[in-house]
Short mmCIF file of all heavy atoms in Angstrom, two decimals:
data_model
loop_
_atom_site.label_atom_id
_atom_site.label_comp_id
_atom_site.label_asym_id
_atom_site.label_seq_id
_atom_site.Cartn_x
_atom_site.Cartn_y
_atom_site.Cartn_z
N SER A 27 -16.40 -0.02 19.24
CA SER A 27 -17.84 0.24 19.06
C SER A 27 -18.22 1.49 19.82
O SER A 27 -17.43 1.99 20.63
CB SER A 27 -18.67 -0.97 19.54
OG SER A 27 -18.48 -1.21 20.93
N ARG A 28 -19.40 1.99 19.55
CA ARG A 28 -19.85 3.17 20.29
C ARG A 28 -21.34 3.06 20.58
O ARG A 28 -22.11 2.47 19.82
CB ARG A 28 -19.54 4.46 19.52
CG ARG A 28 -20.27 4.62 18.20
CD ARG A 28 -19.68 5.78 17.39
NE ARG A 28 -19.86 7.05 18.07
CZ ARG A 28 -19.13 8.16 17.83
NH1 ARG A 28 -18.16 8.11 16.93
NH2 ARG A 28 -19.38 9.28 18.50
N ASP A 29 -21.72 3.64 21.69
CA ASP A 29 -23.10 3.73 22.09
C ASP A 29 -23.40 5.21 22.27
O ASP A 29 -23.08 5.81 23.29
CB ASP A 29 -23.34 2.96 23.39
CG ASP A 29 -24.82 2.92 23.78
OD1 ASP A 29 -25.60 3.77 23.30
OD2 ASP A 29 -25.20 2.03 24.56
N ASN A 30 -23.99 5.81 21.25
CA ASN A 30 -24.19 7.24 21.27
C ASN A 30 -25.22 7.68 22.32
O ASN A 30 -25.17 8.80 22.81
CB ASN A 30 -24.63 7.73 19.89
CG ASN A 30 -23.48 7.69 18.88
OD1 ASN A 30 -22.32 7.61 19.26
ND2 ASN A 30 -23.82 7.70 17.61
N ALA A 31 -26.12 6.78 22.69
CA ALA A 31 -27.06 7.09 23.74
C ALA A 31 -26.39 7.23 25.10
O ALA A 31 -26.88 7.91 25.99
CB ALA A 31 -28.16 6.02 23.81
N LYS A 32 -25.26 6.56 25.26
CA LYS A 32 -24.50 6.60 26.50
C LYS A 32 -23.26 7.49 26.41
O LYS A 32 -22.49 7.58 27.37
CB LYS A 32 -24.08 5.20 26.93
CG LYS A 32 -25.24 4.29 27.27
CD LYS A 32 -24.75 2.93 27.72
CE LYS A 32 -25.90 2.03 28.11
NZ LYS A 32 -25.45 0.69 28.54
N ASN A 33 -23.05 8.11 25.27
CA ASN A 33 -21.87 8.94 25.05
C ASN A 33 -20.59 8.18 25.37
O ASN A 33 -19.67 8.71 26.02
CB ASN A 33 -21.93 10.22 25.88
CG ASN A 33 -22.96 11.21 25.37
OD1 ASN A 33 -23.63 10.98 24.37
ND2 ASN A 33 -23.07 12.34 26.04
N THR A 34 -20.53 6.95 24.92
CA THR A 34 -19.41 6.07 25.28
C THR A 34 -18.89 5.31 24.07
O THR A 34 -19.68 4.85 23.24
CB THR A 34 -19.85 5.08 26.36
OG1 THR A 34 -20.31 5.80 27.51
CG2 THR A 34 -18.70 4.18 26.77
N VAL A 35 -17.59 5.20 24.01
CA VAL A 35 -16.94 4.35 23.02
C VAL A 35 -16.23 3.23 23.76
O VAL A 35 -15.74 3.43 24.87
CB VAL A 35 -15.97 5.16 22.14
CG1 VAL A 35 -14.81 5.74 22.93
CG2 VAL A 35 -15.46 4.31 20.98
N TYR A 36 -16.20 2.04 23.13
CA TYR A 36 -15.63 0.87 23.76
C TYR A 36 -14.50 0.28 22.91
O TYR A 36 -14.48 0.43 21.69
CB TYR A 36 -16.69 -0.22 23.94
CG TYR A 36 -17.89 0.23 24.74
CD1 TYR A 36 -19.03 0.68 24.09
CD2 TYR A 36 -17.90 0.19 26.12
CE1 TYR A 36 -20.14 1.07 24.81
CE2 TYR A 36 -18.99 0.59 26.85
CZ TYR A 36 -20.12 1.03 26.18
OH TYR A 36 -21.22 1.44 26.91
N LEU A 37 -13.62 -0.40 23.57
CA LEU A 37 -12.62 -1.21 22.88
C LEU A 37 -12.65 -2.59 23.52
O LEU A 37 -12.17 -2.77 24.65
CB LEU A 37 -11.23 -0.60 22.98
CG LEU A 37 -10.16 -1.31 22.14
CD1 LEU A 37 -10.44 -1.13 20.65
CD2 LEU A 37 -8.76 -0.79 22.47
N GLN A 38 -13.24 -3.54 22.83
CA GLN A 38 -13.28 -4.92 23.30
C GLN A 38 -12.01 -5.62 22.81
O GLN A 38 -11.79 -5.74 21.61
CB GLN A 38 -14.50 -5.63 22.77
CG GLN A 38 -14.60 -7.09 23.17
CD GLN A 38 -14.82 -7.28 24.65
OE1 GLN A 38 -15.73 -6.67 25.23
NE2 GLN A 38 -13.99 -8.08 25.29
N MET A 39 -11.20 -6.05 23.74
CA MET A 39 -9.94 -6.68 23.43
C MET A 39 -9.99 -8.16 23.78
O MET A 39 -10.33 -8.52 24.90
CB MET A 39 -8.80 -6.00 24.20
CG MET A 39 -8.74 -4.49 23.98
SD MET A 39 -7.36 -3.71 24.83
CE MET A 39 -7.86 -3.98 26.54
N THR A 40 -9.67 -8.99 22.82
CA THR A 40 -9.65 -10.43 23.03
C THR A 40 -8.31 -10.99 22.59
O THR A 40 -7.53 -10.32 21.92
CB THR A 40 -10.77 -11.12 22.24
OG1 THR A 40 -10.59 -10.91 20.84
CG2 THR A 40 -12.13 -10.58 22.65
N SER A 41 -8.05 -12.23 22.97
CA SER A 41 -6.79 -12.90 22.63
C SER A 41 -5.59 -12.00 22.94
O SER A 41 -4.68 -11.85 22.14
CB SER A 41 -6.77 -13.29 21.15
OG SER A 41 -7.83 -14.16 20.84
N LEU A 42 -5.62 -11.45 24.12
CA LEU A 42 -4.59 -10.48 24.50
C LEU A 42 -3.21 -11.12 24.61
O LEU A 42 -3.08 -12.27 25.04
CB LEU A 42 -4.98 -9.81 25.80
CG LEU A 42 -6.04 -8.74 25.67
CD1 LEU A 42 -6.66 -8.40 27.02
CD2 LEU A 42 -5.46 -7.48 25.03
N LYS A 43 -2.23 -10.36 24.21
CA LYS A 43 -0.84 -10.78 24.22
C LYS A 43 -0.04 -9.87 25.12
O LYS A 43 -0.40 -8.71 25.32
CB LYS A 43 -0.27 -10.74 22.81
CG LYS A 43 -1.05 -11.52 21.77
CD LYS A 43 -0.50 -11.26 20.39
CE LYS A 43 -1.30 -12.01 19.33
NZ LYS A 43 -0.79 -11.75 17.96
N PRO A 44 1.09 -10.34 25.65
CA PRO A 44 1.92 -9.47 26.47
C PRO A 44 2.32 -8.17 25.75
O PRO A 44 2.44 -7.13 26.40
CB PRO A 44 3.16 -10.33 26.75
CG PRO A 44 2.62 -11.72 26.75
CD PRO A 44 1.59 -11.72 25.65
N GLU A 45 2.50 -8.23 24.45
CA GLU A 45 2.86 -7.03 23.69
C GLU A 45 1.73 -6.02 23.59
O GLU A 45 1.93 -4.90 23.09
CB GLU A 45 3.38 -7.40 22.29
CG GLU A 45 2.47 -8.31 21.51
CD GLU A 45 2.89 -9.76 21.58
OE1 GLU A 45 3.21 -10.23 22.70
OE2 GLU A 45 2.92 -10.42 20.52
N ASP A 46 0.53 -6.39 24.03
CA ASP A 46 -0.56 -5.42 24.11
C ASP A 46 -0.48 -4.55 25.35
O ASP A 46 -1.25 -3.61 25.47
CB ASP A 46 -1.91 -6.15 24.10
CG ASP A 46 -2.20 -6.86 22.80
OD1 ASP A 46 -1.90 -6.29 21.73
OD2 ASP A 46 -2.73 -7.99 22.85
N THR A 47 0.44 -4.88 26.23
CA THR A 47 0.60 -4.09 27.45
C THR A 47 0.95 -2.66 27.10
O THR A 47 1.91 -2.40 26.38
CB THR A 47 1.70 -4.70 28.33
OG1 THR A 47 1.28 -5.99 28.78
CG2 THR A 47 1.98 -3.82 29.53
N ALA A 48 0.16 -1.73 27.61
CA ALA A 48 0.35 -0.32 27.26
C ALA A 48 -0.66 0.51 28.04
O ALA A 48 -1.59 0.00 28.64
CB ALA A 48 0.14 -0.08 25.77
N VAL A 49 -0.44 1.81 28.02
CA VAL A 49 -1.48 2.74 28.45
C VAL A 49 -2.35 3.00 27.23
O VAL A 49 -1.85 3.35 26.15
CB VAL A 49 -0.89 4.06 28.98
CG1 VAL A 49 -2.00 5.04 29.32
CG2 VAL A 49 -0.03 3.80 30.20
N TYR A 50 -3.62 2.82 27.39
CA TYR A 50 -4.57 3.02 26.30
C TYR A 50 -5.29 4.34 26.45
O TYR A 50 -5.83 4.64 27.52
CB TYR A 50 -5.58 1.86 26.26
CG TYR A 50 -5.00 0.60 25.66
CD1 TYR A 50 -4.06 -0.14 26.38
CD2 TYR A 50 -5.36 0.17 24.39
CE1 TYR A 50 -3.49 -1.28 25.83
CE2 TYR A 50 -4.81 -0.96 23.84
CZ TYR A 50 -3.88 -1.68 24.57
OH TYR A 50 -3.32 -2.83 24.02
N TYR A 51 -5.28 5.12 25.37
CA TYR A 51 -5.84 6.46 25.39
C TYR A 51 -7.05 6.54 24.46
O TYR A 51 -6.99 6.13 23.31
CB TYR A 51 -4.81 7.47 24.91
CG TYR A 51 -3.60 7.61 25.80
CD1 TYR A 51 -2.50 6.82 25.60
CD2 TYR A 51 -3.60 8.53 26.85
CE1 TYR A 51 -1.36 6.93 26.42
CE2 TYR A 51 -2.48 8.65 27.66
CZ TYR A 51 -1.37 7.86 27.44
OH TYR A 51 -0.27 7.99 28.26
N CYS A 52 -8.08 7.12 24.97
CA CYS A 52 -9.25 7.46 24.16
C CYS A 52 -9.00 8.78 23.43
O CYS A 52 -8.29 9.64 23.94
CB CYS A 52 -10.47 7.56 25.07
SG CYS A 52 -12.03 7.92 24.22
N ALA A 53 -9.57 8.91 22.25
CA ALA A 53 -9.37 10.12 21.46
C ALA A 53 -10.64 10.50 20.73
O ALA A 53 -11.47 9.64 20.41
CB ALA A 53 -8.24 9.89 20.45
N ALA A 54 -10.78 11.79 20.47
CA ALA A 54 -11.94 12.30 19.74
C ALA A 54 -11.50 13.31 18.68
O ALA A 54 -10.56 14.06 18.90
CB ALA A 54 -12.92 12.97 20.70
N ASP A 55 -12.19 13.29 17.56
CA ASP A 55 -11.90 14.24 16.49
C ASP A 55 -13.20 14.73 15.87
O ASP A 55 -14.10 13.92 15.63
CB ASP A 55 -11.03 13.58 15.42
CG ASP A 55 -10.49 14.59 14.44
OD1 ASP A 55 -11.16 14.87 13.44
OD2 ASP A 55 -9.39 15.12 14.67
N ALA A 56 -13.26 16.02 15.62
CA ALA A 56 -14.49 16.62 15.11
C ALA A 56 -14.70 16.36 13.63
O ALA A 56 -15.77 16.66 13.11
CB ALA A 56 -14.45 18.14 15.36
N THR A 57 -13.71 15.79 12.95
CA THR A 57 -13.81 15.62 11.50
C THR A 57 -14.07 14.18 11.08
O THR A 57 -15.10 13.88 10.50
CB THR A 57 -12.56 16.16 10.82
OG1 THR A 57 -12.37 17.54 11.14
CG2 THR A 57 -12.68 16.03 9.30
N SER A 58 -13.09 13.29 11.34
CA SER A 58 -13.20 11.96 10.75
C SER A 58 -12.22 10.99 11.38
O SER A 58 -11.30 11.37 12.09
CB SER A 58 -12.93 12.03 9.25
OG SER A 58 -11.57 12.39 9.01
N THR A 59 -12.42 9.72 11.07
CA THR A 59 -11.46 8.69 11.48
C THR A 59 -10.12 8.88 10.77
O THR A 59 -9.07 8.58 11.33
CB THR A 59 -11.99 7.29 11.19
OG1 THR A 59 -12.30 7.16 9.79
CG2 THR A 59 -13.25 7.01 11.99
N ALA A 60 -10.17 9.38 9.55
CA ALA A 60 -8.94 9.62 8.81
C ALA A 60 -8.06 10.64 9.53
O ALA A 60 -6.83 10.50 9.57
CB ALA A 60 -9.26 10.08 7.39
N HIS A 61 -8.68 11.67 10.07
CA HIS A 61 -7.91 12.66 10.83
C HIS A 61 -7.32 12.05 12.08
O HIS A 61 -6.21 12.40 12.47
CB HIS A 61 -8.80 13.86 11.16
CG HIS A 61 -8.94 14.82 10.03
ND1 HIS A 61 -9.26 16.15 10.24
CD2 HIS A 61 -8.80 14.66 8.71
CE1 HIS A 61 -9.33 16.77 9.07
NE2 HIS A 61 -9.06 15.89 8.13
N ILE A 62 -8.07 11.19 12.76
CA ILE A 62 -7.55 10.53 13.94
C ILE A 62 -6.30 9.75 13.62
O ILE A 62 -5.30 9.84 14.31
CB ILE A 62 -8.62 9.60 14.56
CG1 ILE A 62 -9.75 10.43 15.18
CG2 ILE A 62 -8.00 8.68 15.60
CD1 ILE A 62 -10.89 9.60 15.75
#
């Protein structure tokens, strides 16, 4: 989700599994989600 008033994007993670263990990186693209 995103809150444009706060210039913030969120990732709400539920039902987490050990295989979700990772470094999580935020990303931005000037064009589209398809480009991401």
